[in-house]
Structure formats: structure tokens, C-alpha cells
């Protein structure tokens, strides 16, 4: 009798413990889901210290959707109802934040410019081929960064027939099918960078739909290391560029550039607080071999940036991005 009782107790224990463990795991998944939803929805509240962790999280926010899928699979395997219900939160937040980017975008009314933004890389071994690829986009404006000798001369020669108007200042340039005027350097050099660093230019594009002040910029690079995200110089440069655009007298503005940051990154708030960006399309542009983020941006004022997409790879470590900009 004692042996039977002990056997029954063991059986009871083994039958109950798995159920308890399963419920606990379900609550753990639910907790992670709620935390993920909170980060997606309230990422601005995440402190930016230490290591600018807030900006780092914001750089990869769209990939939160992949984490949702992983949690969904685990919840289904565990057959956890509470986890599945909790997952409704991050799913809803992600769709509200990024769902629109999956849509094809609306057709414009004809008052629009097609623009291309491309960091061509100072190590590009085929600048002529890169130029031909950009010409094939049919863009009205082409903005290039990392223009260095002797490559810049190749771009000028290759693009001349299709883009008779252009300006190059420092390592950035703008090519246009429409006349340009008011070309000038835009000083976005952080104080800690040595003299001779020039990565900003501005020109007025005299388009068929009115004048547009076009800015081309290449903000300083950021690095991710054990200390977090090193973006101080990028943030300082973004502030300088934001001030220049805020003081722009031409109402319509388009900013094209390698901003070394995604639109959600708080470090670019001096720009995104006054400029709109793409309404549809993810267009992850970097790195070209396996793009994980769009750091090549098209932004505008008194204009709407429609669908944005990438073009096929060139000789650069960035993918070109092309977008339609509808003028108001």
C-alpha cells in the first residue's frame, strides 16, 4: 500500500508540474510581448544613456516585427492563450507605426520630382557603371556623397548629357535636369572635426512646378561598440543642418543625404521635426550586401515624399534610393 501511494504521488507530481511550467512560460512570453510593445510605442521614453541606448534601439525599430513573429511561434508551440492575447499589443503598435510603409503609395497629381540619393563610396571601382545605373532611374535630381578625385570627374562626364546642371562642394554634389542657382556650401562640420571637412551643399532647383531649395548632406558616421552608439558628431551635424534648413527662405525644401541614421532616431530630430519623410516603402539601404536600415534619406518641407525604394546594387556599400516628391 505504501509503495502504491508513493507511486501515485510521483505520478501526480509529474502530471501537475509540466502544466505549471507551461503556464509560467506563457506568462513569461506575455511579459516579453508587453515589454516589446512598450518599447515600440514609447521608444522616445527610453533614456539615451548610457551609450545612447535610445538611439540604438530606434535604429532597429522596424525589426521589432521579426521579434513579434518569433514570440508568436513560441506562443503557438506552447499553446499559451495569455501569450497570444498579450501579443496583440506589439502587433498593433508595429502595424500602426510601420504598416503604412508596406503600402504601394498613392499616385501623384503630376506636380512631382523623382529624386535619387546615393552614397557612391570613395572606394567605388566602377563610377561610370554607377552613373549609368542612376541615369536609368529617370530621376530629375541625383544627389551623391563620398565624391573624391579622380572619381568625381567620371561622374561629371558620365552624367553631363542627362543632367546638364550640377554643383559639387567638398565631397557632396547635386545633378539636375532643371537649372540651378544660389549654389553654396552648407557648414555642418562639428567643432571636433578638423578643417577641410565639407559635406553639405545647397542649391535652388528651378523646376517646372516652382523653385525648390535642395540640400545634399553627408552626416558623420556612427559606430556601435561595447560602449553603445557613438553618434555625438552625427547629432551635432544634424543640429547644424537643421538650423540651416529652418532659416531657408525658399518655402519648398528637399533634403537628400546619407544621414547615418534612420528617421526614427532621435538624433535626427532637428531634421525630422521640420521635414516629412517617406510615407511608404522601407528601402533599407545599408549595408548593400545585407541591408538592415535606411540611412540614406529623402525628406521635404512643403512637399510630400511618396513611395521610396532601393535600386539595384552599384559599386558602393550603399544601395541607391529613389523617391517621388510631390510639391504642394
Amino acid at each position: 500500500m505504501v509503495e502504491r501511494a508513493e507511486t501515485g504521488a510521483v505520478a501526480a507530481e509529474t502530471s501537475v508540474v509540466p502544466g505549471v511550467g507551461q503556464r509560467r512560460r506563457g506568462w513569461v512570453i506575455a511579459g516579453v510581448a508587453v515589454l516589446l510593445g512598450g518599447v515600440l510605442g514609447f521608444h522616445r521614453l527610453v533614456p539615451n544613456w548610457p551609450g545612447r541606448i535610445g538611439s540604438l534601439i530606434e535604429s532597429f525599430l522596424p525589426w521589432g516585427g521579426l521579434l513579434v513573429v518569433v514570440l508568436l511561434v513560441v506562443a503557438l508551440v506552447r499553446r499559451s492563450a495569455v501569450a497570444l492575447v498579450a501579443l496583440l499589443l506589439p502587433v498593433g503598435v508595429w502595424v500602426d507605426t510601420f504598416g503604412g510603409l508596406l503600402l504601394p503609395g498613392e499616385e501623384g497629381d503630376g506636380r512631382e520630382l523623382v529624386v535619387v540619393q546615393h552614397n557612391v563610396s570613395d572606394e567605388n571601382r566602377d563610377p561610370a557603371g554607377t552613373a549609368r545605373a542612376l541615369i536609368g532611374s529617370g530621376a530629375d535630381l541625383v544627389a551623391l556623397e563620398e565624391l573624391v578625385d579622380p572619381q568625381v570627374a567620371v561622374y561629371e562626364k558620365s552624367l553631363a548629357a542627362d543632367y546638364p546642371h550640377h554643383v559639387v562642394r567638398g565631397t557632396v554634389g547635386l545633378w539636375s535636369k532643371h537649372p540651378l542657382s544660389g549654389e553654396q556650401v552648407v557648414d555642418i562640420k562639428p567643432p571636433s572635426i578638423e578643417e577641410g571637412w565639407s559635406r553639405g551643399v545647397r542649391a535652388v532647383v528651378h523646376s517646372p512646378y516652382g523653385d525648390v531649395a535642395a540640400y545634399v548632406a553627408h552626416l558623420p558616421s556612427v559606430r556601435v561598440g561595447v560602449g553603445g552608439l557613438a553618434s555625438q558628431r552625427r547629432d551635432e551635424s544634424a543640429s547644424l543642418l537643421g538650423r540651416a534648413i529652418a532659416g531657408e527662405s525658399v518655402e519648398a525644401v528637399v533634403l537628400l543625404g546619407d544621414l547615418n541614421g534612420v528617421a526614427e532616431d532621435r538624433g535626427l530630430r532637428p531634421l525630422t521635426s521640420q521635414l516629412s519623410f517617406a510615407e511608404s516603402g522601407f528601402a533599407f539601404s545599408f549595408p548593400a550586401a545585407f541591408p538592415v536600415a535606411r540611412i540614406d534619406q529623402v525628406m521635404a518641407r512643403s512637399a510630400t515624399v511618396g513611395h521610396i525604394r532601393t535600386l539595384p546594387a552599384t559599386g558602393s556599400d550603399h544601395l541607391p534610393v529613389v523617391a517621388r516628391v510631390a510639391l504642394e
Side-chain angles (χ1 to χ4, degrees):
M1 293 293 292
V2 173
E3 183 178 351
R4 290 180 179 177
E6 290 178 350
T7 302
V10 172
E13 182 179 354
T14 56
S15 65
V16 172
V17 171
V20 173
Q22 189 174 16
R23 286 195 295 272
R24 287 176 179 172
R25 285 190 291 269
W27 280 104
V28 170
I29 298 169
V32 174
V34 171
L35 177 62
L36 177 58
V39 171
L40 289 173
F42 301 98
H43 55 89
R44 295 290 184 197
L45 300 181
V46 177
N48 218 21
W49 52 270
R52 284 180 162 78
I53 187 173
S55 285
L56 182 59
I57 289 173
E58 289 162 347
S59 297
F60 299 99
L61 274 183
W63 292 99
L66 182 59
L67 295 179
V68 171
V69 173
V70 172
L71 291 175
L72 176 61
V73 171
V74 175
L76 290 173
V77 171
R78 299 296 183 187
R79 298 180 181 179
S80 172
V82 66
L84 290 172
V85 172
L87 277 168
L88 293 175
L89 175 62
V91 168
V93 174
W94 191 94
V95 170
D96 180 65
T97 305
F98 300 108
L101 297 178
L102 297 172
L103 301 176
E106 299 180 359
E107 292 294 329
D109 61 1
R111 288 176 48 83
E112 64 181 23
L113 299 174
V114 178
V115 301
V116 163
Q117 149 59 29
H118 191 28
N119 179 326
V120 294
S121 174
D122 55 8
E123 298 180 352
N124 194 323
R125 296 182 179 181
D126 185 20
T130 297
R132 287 193 298 271
L134 301 179
I135 291 171
S137 69
D140 296 279
L141 303 177
V142 174
L144 305 182
E145 298 84 43
E146 293 199 12
L147 294 170
V148 295
D149 290 328
Q151 296 176 2
V152 63
V154 177
Y155 290 113
E156 289 176 330
K157 180 179 179 180
S158 301
L159 295 171
D162 293 270
Y163 298 93
H165 313 282
H166 86 282
V167 55
V168 174
R169 295 290 187 272
T171 58
V172 299
L174 175 70
W175 276 258
S176 173
K177 290 185 176 181
H178 312 298
L180 301 176
S181 68
E183 300 93 334
Q184 64 187 65
V185 170
V186 180
D187 184 7
I188 58 173
K189 184 183 77 64
S192 60
I193 294 181
E194 61 186 15
E195 294 298 327
W197 189 95
S198 180
R199 292 188 179 183
V201 68
R202 174 260 191 196
V204 177
V205 181
H206 301 287
S207 82
Y209 318 111
D211 290 351
V212 179
Y215 285 73
V216 181
H218 184 190
L219 302 190
S221 299
V222 300
R223 295 288 184 269
V224 180
V226 293
L229 188 71
S231 64
Q232 180 177 349
R233 287 178 169 178
R234 191 277 313 270
D235 296 350
E236 292 173 349
S237 191
S239 294
L240 292 171
L241 181 57
R243 291 176 198 167
I245 292 175
E248 174 59 56
S249 59
V250 178
E251 183 60 28
V253 173
V254 60
L255 168 62
L256 308 163
D258 174 3
L259 303 187
N260 272 303
V262 301
E264 293 77 22
D265 188 334
R266 68 191 66 182
L268 299 185
R269 283 290 293 167
L271 302 171
T272 56
S273 62
Q274 57 179 320
L275 302 173
S276 62
F277 43 91
E279 297 180 338
S280 67
F282 281 99
F284 292 156
S285 63
F286 184 82
F290 186 77
V292 297
R294 185 176 78 239
I295 63 175
D296 295 274
Q297 303 290 353
V298 177
M299 300 182 182
R301 184 181 78 190
S302 295
T304 301
V305 182
H307 184 74
I308 189 168
R309 60 185 176 87
T310 57
L311 296 175
T314 65
S316 171
D317 56 346
H318 292 241
L319 294 178
V321 299
V322 58
R324 301 191 311 267
V325 178
L327 302 180
E328 297 179 355

